Amino acid sequence: MPEMTTGQAIKEALSLCLDSNDTTFIAGEDIGVYGGAFGVTDGLLEKYGHERIKDTPISEDVIAGLAVGAAITGSKPIVEMQFSDFIVNAMDPIVNQAAKLHFMYGGAVNVPMIVRGASGAGTGAAAQHSQSLESWFCHVPGLKVVTPSNPQNAFDLLLASFVDPNPVIFMEHKLIYKLKSEVNLGPMPSDSSELGKSKVIQEGNDITVVSYSNMVNSVISAAKEDSLTDYSIEIIDLLTLAPMDSESVINSVEKTKRLLVCQEAPASSSVGSTLISEVVTSRAFKALNQSPELLAGLHSPMPSAKHLETTVIPQEEDIVQKIKEMIENEQ
Amino acid sequence: MPEMTTGQAIKEALSLCLDSNDTTFIAGEDIGVYGGAFGVTDGLLEKYGHERIKDTPISEDVIAGLAVGAAITGSKPIVEMQFSDFIVNAMDPIVNQAAKLHFMYGGAVNVPMIVRGASGAGTGAAAQHSQSLESWFCHVPGLKVVTPSNPQNAFDLLLASFVDPNPVIFMEHKLIYKLKSEVNLGPMPSDSSELGKSKVIQEGNDITVVSYSNMVNSVISAAKEDSLTDYSIEIIDLLTLAPMDSESVINSVEKTKRLLVCQEAPASSSVGSTLISEVVTSRAFKALNQSPELLAGLHSPMPSAKHLETTVIPQEEDIVQKIKEMIENEQ
Amino acid sequence: MSKENKLELYRMMLLIRLFEEALEEMFSRGLLHGTMHLSIGQEATATGACLALEKKDLITSTHRGHGHCLAKGADPYKMFAELLGREDGYCRGRGGSMHIADLSNGNLGANGIVAGSLTISVGAALSLKMQKIENIVLCFFGDGAVNEGSFHEALNLASLWDLPVLFVCENNQYGMSMASENAVAGGSITQRAESYGIKSVSIDGNDVEEVYETVSKCKEKIKSSGKPMFIESVTYRYRGHSKSDRNLYRTSDEINFWKEEKDPLKRFIGKLTEEKVEIDELKKVEVEVKNLIRESVKKALESPESPKTNLEEDSYA
Amino acid sequence: MSKENKLELYRMMLLIRLFEEALEEMFSRGLLHGTMHLSIGQEATATGACLALEKKDLITSTHRGHGHCLAKGADPYKMFAELLGREDGYCRGRGGSMHIADLSNGNLGANGIVAGSLTISVGAALSLKMQKIENIVLCFFGDGAVNEGSFHEALNLASLWDLPVLFVCENNQYGMSMASENAVAGGSITQRAESYGIKSVSIDGNDVEEVYETVSKCKEKIKSSGKPMFIESVTYRYRGHSKSDRNLYRTSDEINFWKEEKDPLKRFIGKLTEEKVEIDELKKVEVEVKNLIRESVKKALESPESPKTNLEEDSYA
Ligand SMILES: Cc1ncc(C[n+]2csc(CCOP(=O)(O)OP(=O)(O)O)c2C)c(N)n1
Ligand SMILES: Cc1ncc(C[n+]2csc(CCOP(=O)(O)OP(=O)(O)O)c2C)c(N)n1
Ligand SMILES: [Mg+2]
Ligand SMILES: [Mg+2]
């Protein structure tokens, strides 16, 4: 299996999408000769030409609206928001159009499209270029929301999103682009059944730690820390946020009796709050031996300075400490 | 005390705002001679003239951006989104600008502005005119979010929002506009301390039922149903969603041991999920004698037909049944 | 234009008028939930434009879309059924007045968001172009939509990419209560379109033949040049914006002037009579249309309510 | 223009150039977290425009805003401190390169969102008008911003409401990698502005005197007419868009042409020399500016880190 970065894995997936369907095009800002602000589409223009790899003016509303119009007329568009923060300019086509047309028109149309975007903080890009806005889209019926965390699942999930007949918001955390690993470049799947499935990264019995996107990587590192070696930690990567695989988390919590959810986004009206709510309103409530915990980004815009940025985002050591606290709490 | 509808109470509050501050203007679509799509601003143009009551073209982005620019230069703007669904077109000025400027510029500016809008379903206006999008804004650090439920609190909270130095999203559920009651038209408050306080509508010992916006009125009616007269129900109206007064709910739950949260918006990444998460991650977790419950709108766009619309929104009878179930469950 | 053709234009305008009058009556009888936006007075634009298209040409429509929908071939029964929340409705009661789509006739759907369909039409046109389908997309929108950011972005891209879109601005002179002249800085909608390098023309939108001829010509030009075009079709709405409108922003003199002097149906009947079409022939059309409306309403009222399926499942394909 | 005036223009252009060169160096030494957008090559527009304003005139700026900020009177020390995340920085380390505001000098702030400040400038101008303050708002933005919906909505409203905004489009010919000519349908930015009824002019943005004179005149016209105006200031960026740019979308010949033939500093020095300004006088300015930069960097590097206050509290006023 070839070794590659997440950025490259996404590019491989995009290539496969373009190969598998003539009506597929990619549109976005600086995705052509520039290769994308994060280099993800680098080389695709040379391979597929201007008809398929379409640089747009800086106009996010029409980039997304274009995808909706193309999707309902038999095409399979993939569009890019250079930083996912700019999706604020494309909320009408995504929320009022893409998400609703299938339902609103009584099932008469499907809207198979992908909106990809670079999300998250950690590069000092400050408040307007560092947001994790995935929670908003989970709140919108009709959308699916996917957040890969490494090269392999980015590849697999992008393909699954591609064959899904619904609009998918695909959020790529900036810090995963350069993560490297071997990737099994499988074929185009026949259906999108991979969406909506979380993954157990590591089995354990003392606590269930759930996360998604780049924060999963912090959790994995944290669990390897010396001070935690005595504990048996179950780690779950949600992968798809809408629909959310709460059922697997509920099963896990029934086993471990403890739940910690970690995310970069602030807590209020977020994925993490939802998961905790879904767990405690389920049969797992009885299994919990203590209050679940949510380790989330501070309720603050993202500062630019590095030492402040790390204050806002939960760090590995915060996760270690929280896991210790929770397990030792009731032993 | 004069009797009036919520629409009229809001108008009285707007008048007081305009009277109290020369730099205050109201801008929006059809707010002048038309009087607003829901009649809220009817008569203000005659009283204050075109300089203060400003009809805009249909262009929500500049309506909100205008407010940001005015707010950071010493004015106190109040702008209207005719239906709050159209706020999708104004997300950049609200989320990337208004919410962040104070923090991002190191405290050098304040952004005192109000964005009002008619929210919610129940009028058959279908998927693009019926959303309850308040949860999105709770997820955005830097914004305050307020959802009145009747004439008196609409009046009081609009004034409190006006004297607050932060951007406030003020969501008025369409179905509260015509609710009528006596209103104490108090003076402009000296500070915004009313924001962030929930209100106990009715004290009780068997269960805490929390809601906000128009759903509070359904909860109040439900609690009066014959089949519930034996139970002692504590009802809390959140009123402000950001910052959210979870502390009061936690105290209440410690007393009643049961928590039901009711809202019109879908559950995922919502106010209700957040509240449940905040309660179970608090000391109140131990007090709960059973799993808390969230009664939320279905995860579906809003259909137009009346009988389908009521399927999506929790109805009075659903609340009654849920309360019964929860109390009888463990008695 | 042949007489048959003209009678077809007449029939369609009448169908739209009577369809909406029937809706008005149903509304006043309390049969309809929700609001609606009537295009009474504007029938010539919808009719002339859609009848100049082929079935496989696509349209995108607006909140004021009943006319577009009918003119593009929709079944009035299914439309009434939709407004009544019945299973046979175009959207099975999920869409209502503002959201009727009729894909089989090339209607990509009405839209409740002002300017919401402009960027969609651009995407649809890109599909046609990429799939080498020789049809066009006709995008309807109002004068009010011209000031939305989406208008700007859509026209810019359609022009840059040479997409087969015919933008048709139905300038009924008001966006809700706001007079177009107070909303469109610079004063000219066509000049605005021209600034994107899009050829534009302003026409009498109440003259159904002028609309028909202009759209026919534009359609051919778009097909041959591959470039978008723009029509401003000047018309007038008689009814309030929606059901909550008190018409305070305009005078009844103005409304009456348009009703009496410029009504598209009256004018066209006058013209047909001048051209010696027999009164009987017109009468025959009228009877046929009235029957169709009456039967459609009746059937719709008797048709079954849309069942309460699992709406969460219905939200996803 | 007096000699003092001219030397001031020279001084400011040089300050901007050296400020950004110092940043580049700090970046390459790994002292800076995050990206940044350099305006090297574009100094004449920022300088000419801001120096033509009064202190109480307001500006809104962009992601490429160091020049605007300095020219409007900012202290380079506080700017360096900001980029280094220090307590003395304009935003106490919370904003960084893309978000410096300097209210005391009328700079309402840089903005990381393309076209993000256009609607803000309209609101600021409305404040001035309502508060009867006789100043203007100068809104800077790039050629790339011209295609955003916000541009359209902002210009439309500024024109309709007669607001005192001077829109200054710094056309450096690329929006990141996209050539302006491939992004602006119709091809003319000024014609687009004219279509909103806004008087527009295109100027050589690398000629600091032309910029200064044009902005001065526009400022007076705006004050007397109360109406917005529009300047397209044609210029060129030498550096990559940001730190990740490989410059694949343009030739090095093109870059060199601008550097050699059109550089605003070189040209202005040439002009001043022609006008018999002594080399010594220029040298004196240069020494002064170099010292200022050196001292500012040093002081900034030695200044205390911004403390980790309660950031959640800092999020609200
Ligand atoms: C984005 C958005 N803003 C506002 C509205 C509310 N609204 C619906 S129709 C309308 C007027 C539209 O005017 P115009 O485009 O001229 O169409 P007309 O109603 O005249 O047919 C308004 C303001 C909306 N539906 N969508
Ligand atoms: C809404 C939005 N879209 C995209 C970007 C990413 N971006 C930052 S600057 C830029 C190019 C802007 O071009 P222009 O306006 O010409 O300014 P210049 O960089 O040339 O000074 C882009 C695409 C952004 N910051 N905001
Ligand atoms: Mg109109
Ligand atoms: Mg540029």
Side-chain angles (χ1 to χ4, degrees):
Chain A
M1 289 195 299
E3 199 183 55
M4 63 183 72
T5 64
T6 308
Q8 288 164 330
I10 294 172
K11 192 196 311 179
E12 293 295 336
L14 292 172
S15 281
L16 208 49
C17 296
L18 288 157
D19 289 339
S20 80
N21 191 321
D22 283 348
T23 71
T24 296
F25 61 88
I26 305 184
E29 295 157 13
D30 309 292
I31 61 160
V33 58
Y34 198 100
F38 297 89
V40 170
T41 53
D42 192 25
L44 294 181
L45 176 63
E46 288 72 6
K47 195 163 159 204
Y48 297 96
H50 287 286
E51 293 302 305
R52 315 277 307 272
I53 309 298
K54 307 186 80 65
D55 266 328
T56 65
I58 309 172
S59 44
E60 292 78 13
D61 189 33
V62 73
I63 294 173
L66 172 76
V68 178
I72 63 174
T73 50
S75 298
K76 283 213 147 225
I78 302 175
V79 296
E80 174 173 313
M81 297 284 131
Q82 192 166 85
F83 284 70
S84 67
D85 310 71
F86 312 151
I87 209 166
V88 292
N89 283 339
M91 294 297 276
D92 182 63
I94 294 173
V95 172
N96 279 341
Q97 314 296 342
K100 296 180 174 39
L101 292 187
H102 173 76
F103 178 90
M104 204 159 72
Y105 294 158
V109 297
N110 290 349
V111 193
M113 58 182 263
I114 298 176
V115 182
R116 297 173 43 244
S119 71
T123 68
Q128 294 174 335
H129 288 70
S130 302
Q131 292 167 90
S132 295
L133 296 173
E134 55 277 356
S135 299
W136 280 357
F137 302 98
C138 297
H139 189 57
V140 179
L143 298 178
K144 295 196 172 180
V145 182
V146 178
T147 50
S149 58
N150 66 36
Q152 185 68 60
N153 61 37
F155 178 84
D156 295 338
L157 290 169
L158 189 54
L159 295 185
S161 301
F162 184 70
V163 298
D164 196 272
N166 296 288
V168 178
I169 308 297
F170 196 87
M171 292 283 196
E172 303 158 5
H173 196 289
K174 291 174 195 76
L175 297 188
I176 71 167
Y177 282 131
K178 296 200 171 149
L179 293 183
K180 222 171 178 168
S181 72
E182 290 197 333
V183 179
N184 176 5
L185 297 174
M188 186 63 70
S190 58
D191 62 38
S192 62
S193 55
E194 268 313 293
L195 299 189
K197 283 187 193 159
S198 65
K199 182 164 182 205
V200 177
I201 303 290
Q202 169 178 312
E203 294 197 21
N205 294 309
D206 292 336
I207 187 169
T208 302
V209 185
V210 188
S211 190
Y212 68 91
S213 188
N214 186 50
M215 190 61 67
V216 169
N217 300 308
S218 301
V219 172
I220 294 172
S221 303
K224 291 187 185 131
E225 289 278 315
D226 286 349
S227 62
L228 296 181
T229 44
D230 287 350
Y231 303 131
S232 166
I233 300 168
E234 180 137 314
I235 302 177
I236 298 180
D237 185 348
L238 287 174
L239 294 171
T240 306
L241 307 183
M244 192 191 273
D245 184 8
S246 318
E247 192 56 27
S248 297
V249 177
I250 290 167
N251 287 333
S252 172
V253 170
E254 286 196 296
K255 174 177 69 172
T256 65
K257 323 259 184 261
R258 292 185 187 84
L259 172 64
L260 170 63
V261 180
C262 304
Q263 71 182 19
E264 184 170 313
S268 187
S269 292
S270 72
V271 169
S273 300
T274 305
L275 181 62
I276 290 184
S277 171
E278 295 203 357
V279 170
V280 300
T281 58
S282 80
R283 61 185 189 275
F285 176 76
K286 292 219 175 77
L288 283 165
N289 75 5
Q290 64 182 279
S291 153
E293 298 255 14
L294 174 58
L295 202 52
L298 292 187
H299 193 71
S300 146
M302 197 59 67
S304 56
K306 187 159 196 152
H307 66 288
L308 298 177
E309 207 181 21
T310 53
T311 309
V312 172
I313 311 166
Q315 301 293 304
E316 211 177 296
E317 52 277 22
D318 303 321
I319 300 170
V320 171
Q321 194 192 326
K322 186 61 78 179
I323 292 175
K324 270 184 70 133
E325 255 174 48
M326 286 182 73
I327 299 184
E328 290 170 9
N329 189 14
E330 244 134 330
Q331 278 189 327
Chain B
M1 290 196 299
E3 199 183 55
M4 63 183 71
T5 64
T6 307
Q8 288 164 330
I10 294 172
K11 191 196 313 180
E12 293 295 334
L14 291 172
S15 281
L16 207 49
C17 296
L18 288 158
D19 290 338
S20 81
N21 192 322
D22 283 348
T23 71
T24 296
F25 60 88
I26 304 182
E29 295 158 12
D30 309 293
I31 61 161
V33 58
Y34 198 100
F38 296 90
V40 171
T41 52
D42 192 26
L44 294 181
L45 175 62
E46 289 71 7
K47 196 164 156 202
Y48 296 97
H50 288 283
E51 293 302 305
R52 315 278 306 273
I53 308 298
K54 307 187 80 68
D55 266 327
T56 64
I58 308 171
S59 44
E60 293 79 11
D61 188 33
V62 73
I63 293 173
L66 172 77
V68 178
I72 62 174
T73 49
S75 297
K76 284 216 146 222
I78 302 174
V79 296
E80 176 173 312
M81 297 283 131
Q82 193 167 83
F83 284 70
S84 67
D85 309 69
F86 312 150
I87 209 165
V88 291
N89 283 339
M91 293 299 274
D92 182 65
I94 293 173
V95 172
N96 279 341
Q97 313 297 340
K100 297 181 172 39
L101 293 187
H102 173 76
F103 178 89
M104 202 159 72
Y105 293 158
V109 297
N110 290 347
V111 194
M113 57 183 264
I114 298 175
V115 181
R116 299 174 41 245
S119 71
T123 68
Q128 294 174 334
H129 287 71
S130 301
Q131 292 166 92
S132 295
L133 297 172
E134 53 278 355
S135 298
W136 281 357
F137 302 98
C138 297
H139 189 56
V140 179
L143 298 178
K144 295 196 173 179
V145 182
V146 178
T147 49
S149 57
N150 66 36
Q152 184 70 58
N153 61 38
F155 177 84
D156 295 338
L157 291 168
L158 188 55
L159 296 184
S161 301
F162 184 70
V163 297
D164 196 89
N166 296 288
V168 178
I169 308 298
F170 196 88
M171 292 282 197
E172 303 158 6
H173 195 290
K174 293 173 193 75
L175 296 187
I176 71 168
Y177 282 132
K178 295 201 171 146
L179 294 183
K180 220 170 178 170
S181 72
E182 289 198 335
V183 179
N184 176 5
L185 298 173
M188 186 64 70
S190 57
D191 62 38
S192 62
S193 55
E194 266 314 292
L195 298 190
K197 283 186 193 159
S198 66
K199 185 167 178 201
V200 177
I201 303 290
Q202 170 179 311
E203 294 197 19
N205 294 309
D206 293 335
I207 188 169
T208 301
V209 185
V210 187
S211 190
Y212 67 90
S213 188
N214 186 50
M215 190 62 69
V216 169
N217 299 308
S218 301
V219 172
I220 294 171
S221 304
K224 291 190 185 128
E225 289 277 314
D226 286 350
S227 61
L228 296 180
T229 43
D230 286 350
Y231 302 130
S232 165
I233 300 168
E234 181 136 314
I235 302 177
I236 297 180
D237 185 347
L238 287 174
L239 294 170
T240 306
L241 306 182
M244 191 191 274
D245 184 8
S246 318
E247 192 55 28
S248 297
V249 176
I250 289 167
N251 286 333
S252 172
V253 170
E254 286 197 295
K255 175 178 68 174
T256 65
K257 321 257 184 264
R258 293 185 187 86
L259 172 64
L260 170 63
V261 181
C262 304
Q263 71 183 18
E264 185 170 312
S268 186
S269 291
S270 72
V271 169
S273 300
T274 305
L275 182 61
I276 288 183
S277 171
E278 295 203 357
V279 169
V280 299
T281 58
S282 79
R283 62 184 188 277
F285 175 76
K286 293 220 174 77
L288 282 166
N289 75 5
Q290 64 182 283
S291 152
E293 298 255 15
L294 174 58
L295 201 52
L298 293 186
H299 193 72
S300 147
M302 198 57 67
S304 56
K306 187 160 196 150
H307 66 288
L308 299 177
E309 205 180 25
T310 52
T311 309
V312 172
I313 311 166
Q315 301 292 304
E316 210 177 297
E317 50 279 20
D318 304 319
I319 301 170
V320 171
Q321 195 192 325
K322 186 61 80 182
I323 292 175
K324 269 185 73 136
E325 256 173 48
M326 287 182 72
I327 299 184
E328 290 169 8
N329 189 14
E330 243 134 330
Q331 275 189 330
Chain C
M1 205 184 296
S2 71
K3 196 177 78 180
E4 282 63 45
N5 231 322
K6 287 184 184 173
L7 282 175
E8 189 41 40
L9 291 175
Y10 170 62
R11 180 186 170 279
M12 188 52 72
M13 289 203 288
L14 190 63
L15 179 66
I16 298 171
R17 173 79 49 102
L18 296 183
F19 177 89
E20 292 200 322
E21 286 179 356
L23 278 186
E24 262 190 318
E25 206 223 286
M26 289 160 81
F27 191 92
S28 68
R29 284 166 58 202
L31 295 173
L32 299 176
H33 181 50
T35 186
M36 62 190 180
H37 306 85
L38 301 176
S39 65
I40 296 178
Q42 306 183 197
E43 297 86 353
T45 299
T47 300
C50 292
L51 266 56
L53 299 179
E54 289 149 42
K55 187 164 174 180
K56 291 202 163 168
D57 289 322
L58 304 173
I59 67 164
T60 63
S61 167
T62 68
H63 59 286
R64 201 176 302 287
H66 305 141
H68 312 143
C69 194
L70 286 164
K72 198 71 178 60
D75 179 348
Y77 161 63
K78 287 191 179 185
M79 291 175 67
F80 283 125
E82 181 54 34
L83 276 121
L84 287 163
R86 306 302 164 100
E87 180 63 3
D88 278 355
Y90 271 105
C91 315
R92 308 176 60 218
R94 282 136 179 79
S97 164
M98 270 191 290
H99 304 296
I100 301 183
D102 176 16
L103 278 289
S104 64
N105 284 303
N107 178 357
L108 297 177
N111 208 305
I113 300 297
V114 168
S117 72
L118 276 127
T119 61
I120 293 177
S121 74
V122 170
L126 179 64
S127 267
L128 294 181
K129 185 172 176 172
M130 283 187 71
Q131 297 169 27
K132 303 207 167 34
I133 300 173
E134 291 230 327
N135 285 96
I136 72 162
V137 183
L138 187 154
C139 172
F140 284 111
F141 54 96
D143 49 290
V146 166
N147 307 304
E148 282 279 5
S150 309
F151 169 89
H152 178 71
E153 297 191 13
L155 266 72
N156 190 49
L157 202 70
S159 177
L160 282 175
W161 287 3
D162 289 341
L163 297 177
V165 189
L166 177 53
F167 294 103
V168 176
C169 176
E170 280 186 275
N171 182 356
N172 63 7
Q173 307 176 53
Y174 293 91
M176 204 157 159
S177 69
M178 193 175 235
S180 177
E181 61 199 38
N182 298 332
V184 180
S188 165
I189 291 176
T190 49
Q191 192 180 313
R192 220 175 246 195
E194 292 275 352
S195 80
Y196 304 97
I198 299 180
K199 288 245 155 50
S200 307
V201 59
S202 183
I203 61 174
D204 180 346
N206 276 14
D207 179 338
V208 70
E209 286 178 291
E210 184 171 346
V211 176
Y212 182 91
E213 300 294 355
T214 312
V215 170
S216 301
K217 270 187 223 146
C218 288
K219 183 184 71 174
E220 293 313 321
K221 260 203 204 139
I222 291 170
K223 285 190 182 175
S224 60
S225 70
K227 292 186 196 303
M229 297 190 73
F230 190 102
I231 298 173
E232 177 193 22
S233 187
V234 180
T235 179
Y236 197 80
R237 127 173 94 67
Y238 298 163
R239 297 298 189 267
H241 165 72
S242 68
K243 284 292 151 191
S244 70
D245 189 345
R246 294 169 296 168
N247 273 319
L248 297 175
Y249 49 87
R250 55 182 184 172
T251 62
S252 45
D253 278 359
E254 182 182 290
I255 303 176
N256 287 331
F257 168 76
W258 280 85
K259 277 191 186 169
E260 276 148 34
E261 307 295 324
K262 311 267 276 174
D263 184 71
L265 265 161
K266 256 196 213 159
R267 277 166 69 187
F268 196 52
I269 293 173
K271 183 132 187 281
L272 292 178
T273 327
E274 261 173 40
E275 290 172 3
K276 311 264 184 275
V277 178
E278 303 277 335
I279 294 287
D280 275 3
E281 282 191 278
L282 298 179
K283 203 71 207 166
K284 208 177 107 198
V285 170
E286 190 179 328
V287 169
E288 183 258 314
V289 170
K290 280 191 172 156
N291 279 338
L292 175 60
I293 293 291
R294 196 178 316 107
E295 290 307 312
S296 302
V297 170
K298 186 159 170 277
K299 189 170 157 204
L301 283 169
E302 286 163 0
S303 73
E305 225 178 39
S306 153
K308 295 190 185 180
T309 52
N310 183 328
L311 296 175
E312 296 192 333
E313 275 177 13
D314 291 354
S315 306
Y316 291 86
Chain D
M1 205 186 294
S2 72
K3 196 177 76 180
E4 282 63 46
N5 231 322
K6 288 183 182 173
L7 283 175
E8 189 42 38
L9 292 175
Y10 170 63
R11 179 186 172 280
M12 188 51 72
M13 288 203 288
L14 190 64
L15 179 67
I16 298 171
R17 173 79 50 101
L18 297 183
F19 177 89
E20 292 199 324
E21 286 179 355
L23 277 187
E24 264 190 317
E25 209 224 285
M26 290 160 81
F27 191 91
S28 67
R29 285 166 58 203
L31 295 173
L32 299 177
H33 181 52
T35 187
M36 63 190 180
H37 306 84
L38 301 176
S39 65
I40 296 178
Q42 306 183 199
E43 297 86 353
T45 300
T47 300
C50 291
L51 267 56
L53 298 179
E54 290 151 40
K55 186 165 176 180
K56 293 206 163 165
D57 288 322
L58 304 174
I59 67 164
T60 63
S61 169
T62 69
H63 58 286
R64 202 175 301 287
H66 304 143
H68 312 143
C69 193
L70 286 163
K72 198 68 178 58
D75 179 346
Y77 161 63
K78 288 192 179 180
M79 290 174 67
F80 284 124
E82 181 54 33
L83 276 120
L84 288 162
R86 307 302 164 101
E87 179 64 4
D88 277 356
Y90 270 107
C91 315
R92 308 176 60 220
R94 283 138 178 78
S97 165
M98 272 192 289
H99 304 297
I100 301 183
D102 176 16
L103 278 289
S104 65
N105 283 305
N107 177 358
L108 296 177
N111 208 305
I113 300 296
V114 170
S117 72
L118 276 128
T119 61
I120 293 178
S121 73
V122 170
L126 179 63
S127 266
L128 294 180
K129 185 172 175 172
M130 283 187 72
Q131 296 169 27
K132 303 208 166 41
I133 300 172
E134 292 229 329
N135 285 94
I136 72 162
V137 182
L138 188 153
C139 172
F140 285 112
F141 54 96
D143 50 290
V146 167
N147 307 305
E148 281 280 4
S150 307
F151 170 90
H152 178 72
E153 297 191 13
L155 267 72
N156 190 49
L157 202 69
S159 176
L160 281 175
W161 288 3
D162 289 341
L163 298 178
V165 189
L166 178 53
F167 293 103
V168 176
C169 176
E170 280 186 274
N171 182 357
N172 62 7
Q173 306 177 52
Y174 293 92
M176 205 155 158
S177 68
M178 192 173 237
S180 177
E181 62 200 38
N182 298 333
V184 180
S188 165
I189 292 177
T190 49
Q191 191 180 314
R192 218 174 246 195
E194 292 275 350
S195 81
Y196 304 97
I198 299 179
K199 287 245 156 51
S200 306
V201 60
S202 182
I203 62 173
D204 179 346
N206 277 13
D207 179 339
V208 69
E209 285 178 292
E210 184 171 345
V211 177
Y212 182 93
E213 300 295 353
T214 312
V215 171
S216 300
K217 269 187 222 143
C218 287
K219 182 183 72 174
E220 293 313 321
K221 258 201 207 142
I222 291 170
K223 284 190 185 177
S224 61
S225 71
K227 289 186 198 304
M229 297 188 74
F230 191 101
I231 297 173
E232 176 193 24
S233 187
V234 179
T235 179
Y236 197 79
R237 128 174 93 68
Y238 298 162
R239 298 298 189 269
H241 166 72
S242 68
K243 284 293 150 190
S244 70
D245 189 345
R246 296 169 296 167
N247 273 320
L248 297 176
Y249 49 88
R250 54 181 185 173
T251 63
S252 45
D253 279 359
E254 182 183 290
I255 302 177
N256 287 332
F257 168 76
W258 280 85
K259 276 191 186 168
E260 277 148 35
E261 306 295 321
K262 311 267 276 175
D263 183 71
L265 264 161
K266 259 197 212 159
R267 277 167 70 186
F268 196 51
I269 291 172
K271 183 132 190 279
L272 290 178
T273 327
E274 262 174 39
E275 289 173 2
K276 312 264 184 272
V277 178
E278 303 277 338
I279 295 285
D280 276 5
E281 284 189 277
L282 297 179
K283 203 71 209 166
K284 210 178 105 198
V285 170
E286 191 180 328
V287 169
E288 183 258 314
V289 170
K290 280 190 171 156
N291 279 338
L292 175 59
I293 293 291
R294 195 178 315 107
E295 290 307 312
S296 301
V297 171
K298 184 156 174 278
K299 190 169 155 202
L301 283 168
E302 288 163 359
S303 73
E305 225 178 36
S306 151
K308 295 190 183 179
T309 52
N310 184 328
L311 295 175
E312 296 192 330
E313 274 177 14
D314 289 355
S315 305
Y316 291 87

